[in-house]
């Protein structure tokens, strides 16, 4: 079945046709690692994960790339405020971010690219843009001239009214035109050691050029899919298109996918107002990471959502019922099948739902219809649930594996198993700080992990 994707650029659903048959190159904007990711950021990460899982369920080989922004105004200011090196600060928050996505059972992207490790590619791209006369030098940096960019703002359906010009002007750097944006910022004393030599002057990259350089270096001048939150459409993704196409002369992205905003109790997320919730905040309120993930599945990725404890608690209860039902199906010894008419092809229907612009609410509703279908044997329901969960990512396979091993006396939540697996991966890679962070998070959630000859053993803390 053809996969249809809503493309932000065209404003329409389009049949997905990859650049290379059977392969998907996918770039997603990752975190700026100066603080913890809030739950709105994590919604976008879950969206990215679902997109990858659907592609893989459809038989595509996915090459998923995510950047880590560890060099920008925010990371530099925070490192100086805390009297830490930029590397020390950003690695700390990077580790916490990776722990969060593992808790949410998000598949780790195939490539995690730190901006600080790709400065040479950024300098190369800026040099090309300068050679193409699409950028100029000001006293404080190198700026991209959007007036020379064909179709600038098409992604955002941009009309450069007073409000838009004010947003552009917030860059706070000198430029010939207030609409232009910084590719390179010349070194200042406030930058500390976060500066690099370049043929056009010592300094550091602007935020936008980082993603363009890393995306094209990893996936080529044209990529299949680029994802992010709706807040990145302008100016970030708009500027990515302009500078990338100036440097390569080729169309940058075929399909743009953007997730909807999240409010908290009908208010915009704001740390100063107490609505900038992080994952540990909702865990403290009794919401498990996978309960939160289940709630996200109940809304389409493009739909704005409103986080309330009441709504998410209800979704978590449904998630618990799903896991309990899955366990009971494995214990069925006597079935009462009521066949009527032709059996439904739930696998085909599921594929149809997820192929329609990643319709998770529809796929989840279908799952419950299948569970309640008395004409279907328990073993078939189990197989379908395991297949569907390769997309949902709710950890049912971990539950099945635990039951098969005879360790289901105390049912360990799937998110704890995912964290333990992530810790084991970190240990094998000798990333001890990361492994310790995973262990700490497991213990905060009321469990402990012990290393044995047979692998990690998880127990409930008494």
């Amino acid at each position: 079945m053809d996969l249809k994707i809503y493309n932000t650029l065209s404003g329409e659903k389009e049949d997905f046709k990859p650049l290379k048959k059977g392969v998907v190159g996918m770039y997603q904007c990752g975190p700026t690692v100066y603080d913890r990711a809030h739950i709105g950021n994590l919604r976008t990460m879950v969206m990215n994960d679902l997109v990858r899982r659907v592609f893989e369920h459809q038989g595509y080989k996915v090459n998923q790339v995510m950047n880590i922004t560890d060099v920008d105004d925010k990371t530099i200011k925070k490192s100086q405020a805390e009297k830490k090196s930029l590397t020390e600060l950003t690695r700390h928050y990077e580790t916490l971010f990776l722990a969060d996505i593992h808790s949410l059972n998000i598949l780790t992207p195939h490539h995690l690219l730190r901006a600080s490790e790709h400065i040479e590619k950024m300098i190369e791209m800026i040099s090309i843009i300068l050679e193409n006369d699409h950028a100029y030098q000001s006293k404080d940096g190198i700026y991209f001239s959007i007036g020379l960019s064909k179709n600038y703002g098409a992604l955002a359906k941009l009309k450069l009214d007073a409000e838009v010009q004010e947003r552009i002007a917030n860059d706070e750097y000198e430029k010939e035109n207030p609409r232009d944006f910084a590719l390179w910022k010349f070194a200042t004393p406030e930058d500390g050691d976060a500066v690099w030599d370049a043929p056009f002057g010592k300094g550091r990259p602007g935020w936008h050029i980082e993603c363009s350089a890393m995306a094209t270096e990893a996936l080529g001048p044209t990529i299949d899919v680029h994802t992010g939150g709706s807040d990145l459409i302008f100016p970030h993704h708009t500027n990515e298109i302009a500078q990338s196409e100036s440097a390569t002369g080729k169309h940058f992205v075929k399909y743009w996918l953007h997730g909807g905003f999240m409010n908290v109790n009908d208010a915009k997320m704001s740390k100063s107002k107490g609505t900038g919730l992080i994952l540990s905040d909702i865990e403290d309120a009794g919401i498990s990471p996978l309960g939160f993930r289940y709630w996200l599945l109940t809304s389409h990725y493009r739909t704005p959502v409103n986080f309330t404890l009441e709504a998410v608690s209800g979704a978590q209860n449904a998630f618990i019922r799903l896991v309990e039902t899955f366990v009971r199906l494995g214990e069925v010894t006597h079935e009462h099948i009521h066949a009527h008419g032709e059996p439904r092809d739930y696998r085909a229907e599921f594929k149809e739902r997820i192929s329609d612009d990643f319709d998770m609410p529809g796929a989840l509703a279908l799952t419950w219809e299948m569970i309640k279908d008395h004409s279907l044997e328990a073993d078939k329901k189990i197989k379908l649930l395991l297949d569907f969960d390769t997309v949902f990512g709710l950890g049912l396979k971990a539950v099945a594996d635990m039951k098969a091993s005879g360790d289901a006396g105390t049912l360990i939540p799937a998110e704890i198993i995912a964290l333990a697996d992530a810790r084991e991966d970190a240990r094998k890679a000798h990333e001890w700080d990361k492994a310790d962070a995973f262990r700490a998070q497991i213990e905060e959630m009321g469990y402990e992990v012990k290393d044995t000859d047979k692998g990690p053993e998880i127990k409930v803390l008494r």
Side-chain angles (χ1 to χ4, degrees):
M1 177 171 294
D2 291 336
L3 178 60
K4 290 187 177 295
I5 296 177
Y6 182 87
N7 189 349
T8 306
L9 186 60
S10 67
E12 298 177 349
K13 286 185 185 179
E14 301 177 11
D15 290 332
F16 177 71
K17 296 180 180 178
L19 295 164
K20 183 179 179 181
K21 186 177 180 181
V23 178
V24 178
M26 177 179 170
Y27 184 86
Q28 65 186 70
C29 284
T32 300
V33 282
Y34 75 105
D35 205 344
R36 297 294 298 267
H38 61 61
I39 58 174
N41 302 139
L42 294 175
R43 183 199 186 188
T44 302
M45 296 303 144
V46 171
M47 176 198 78
N48 296 330
D49 186 56
L50 293 170
V51 169
R52 169 182 167 177
R53 287 172 179 269
V54 168
F55 279 129
E56 291 180 340
H57 191 271
Q58 301 283 56
Y60 288 100
K61 181 179 179 180
V62 179
N63 186 13
Q64 185 185 18
V65 179
M66 182 176 73
N67 74 296
I68 304 289
T69 299
D70 59 352
V71 178
D72 80 329
D73 293 345
K74 294 177 181 178
T75 57
I76 292 170
K77 289 177 182 177
K78 185 71 172 285
S79 68
Q80 293 173 348
E82 295 191 1
K83 294 182 169 52
K84 295 179 179 178
S85 71
L86 188 61
T87 299
E88 182 184 6
L89 176 96
T90 57
R91 293 294 191 276
H92 171 70
Y93 285 112
E94 178 184 320
T95 298
L96 294 176
F97 170 77
L98 293 175
D100 281 348
I101 67 171
H102 279 294
S103 295
L104 289 162
N105 207 24
I106 293 171
L107 300 172
T108 304
H110 301 101
H111 304 282
L112 298 175
L113 307 182
R114 297 187 183 113
S116 62
E117 296 171 355
H118 295 80
I119 302 294
E120 186 176 336
K121 179 64 178 179
M122 299 170 201
I123 292 172
E124 176 187 327
M125 180 170 273
I126 294 169
S127 297
I128 294 172
I129 297 171
L130 281 166
E131 290 172 7
N132 292 341
D133 292 326
H134 285 176
Y136 58 89
Q137 180 172 326
S138 179
K139 71 176 185 179
D140 59 356
I142 306 297
Y143 287 88
F144 187 90
S145 180
I146 69 168
L148 299 177
S149 174
K150 185 179 180 181
N151 298 323
Y152 181 82
L155 181 72
K157 313 298 184 287
L158 190 61
K159 293 182 179 179
L160 294 175
D161 56 20
E163 179 182 356
V164 170
Q165 291 186 33
E166 181 180 353
R167 289 185 66 188
I168 297 172
N170 283 338
D171 204 333
E172 297 180 357
Y173 291 85
E174 293 194 18
K175 32 198 149 177
E176 291 179 359
N177 185 322
R179 304 172 182 177
D180 297 341
F181 59 89
L183 298 172
W184 188 260
K185 301 173 182 181
F186 291 150
T188 66
E190 290 76 21
D191 293 332
D193 295 331
V195 293
W196 289 263
D197 290 322
F200 33 78
K202 192 171 187 176
R204 59 186 173 88
W207 173 38
H208 310 303
I209 197 68
E210 294 181 355
C211 279
S212 287
M214 289 184 282
T216 54
E217 184 175 26
L219 298 170
T222 302
I223 62 180
D224 291 301
V225 176
H226 194 316
T227 65
S230 296
D231 56 316
L232 297 182
I233 295 174
F234 180 81
H236 185 51
H237 290 165
T238 296
N239 292 348
E240 269 193 73
I241 293 172
Q243 63 200 7
S244 299
E245 296 184 355
S246 171
T248 69
K250 297 182 179 180
H251 186 65
F252 180 38
V253 174
K254 289 192 69 177
Y255 304 92
W256 286 93
L257 277 68
H258 291 97
F261 290 106
M262 180 185 292
N263 286 338
V264 173
N265 296 322
D266 294 315
K268 185 178 179 180
M269 272 202 236
S270 168
K271 288 187 178 180
S272 62
K273 295 180 181 179
T275 54
L277 300 178
I278 62 175
L279 194 60
S280 61
D281 290 331
I282 67 173
E283 289 179 274
D284 291 344
I287 303 298
S288 75
L290 290 184
F292 176 65
R293 182 179 177 114
Y294 185 96
W295 175 67
L296 293 175
L297 292 172
T298 64
S299 297
H300 191 271
Y301 76 92
R302 287 191 283 116
T303 304
V305 295
N306 182 45
F307 179 97
T308 67
L309 278 178
E310 182 180 11
V312 184
S313 294
Q316 178 165 266
N317 290 336
F319 167 60
I320 292 170
R321 289 199 303 273
L322 179 66
V323 175
E324 290 174 342
T325 300
F326 178 75
V327 172
R328 284 199 302 270
L329 285 170
E331 298 170 349
V332 169
T333 55
H334 301 287
E335 297 183 80
H336 301 282
I337 302 301
H338 304 288
H340 48 83
E342 287 293 320
R344 289 176 64 175
D345 188 345
Y346 285 102
R347 196 181 303 273
E349 289 188 46
F350 181 80
K351 191 172 183 178
E352 183 178 355
R353 304 284 174 94
I354 64 175
S355 296
D356 183 11
D357 194 31
F358 313 100
D359 180 12
M360 293 302 132
L364 199 58
L366 176 73
T367 300
W368 283 107
E369 289 177 29
M370 181 272 293
I371 287 172
K372 296 173 184 177
D373 188 342
H374 297 298
S375 69
L376 209 60
E377 293 90 347
D379 63 334
K380 290 185 178 179
K381 289 181 180 180
I382 289 173
K383 289 177 182 177
L384 286 170
L385 282 170
L386 288 171
D387 177 59
F388 294 176
D389 199 47
T390 60
V391 174
F392 293 147
L394 295 172
L396 295 184
K397 185 178 185 302
V399 174
D401 291 344
M402 183 165 289
K403 284 188 65 64
S405 68
D407 294 333
T410 299
L411 190 62
I412 306 296
E415 60 264 32
I416 300 298
I417 296 171
L419 277 173
D421 289 343
R423 175 181 172 273
E424 188 67 10
D425 290 342
R427 289 180 70 249
K428 290 177 180 178
H430 303 293
E431 296 175 320
W432 308 117
D433 289 345
K434 188 183 294 185
D436 288 344
F438 288 134
R439 176 192 286 276
Q441 188 167 3
I442 290 169
E443 291 176 351
E444 285 177 8
M445 296 170 71
Y447 297 83
E448 66 176 348
V449 58
K450 292 186 177 181
D451 299 314
T452 71
D453 294 339
K454 297 180 180 180
E457 179 181 291
I458 307 170
K459 291 185 177 180
V460 179
L461 285 173
R462 301 297 181 185

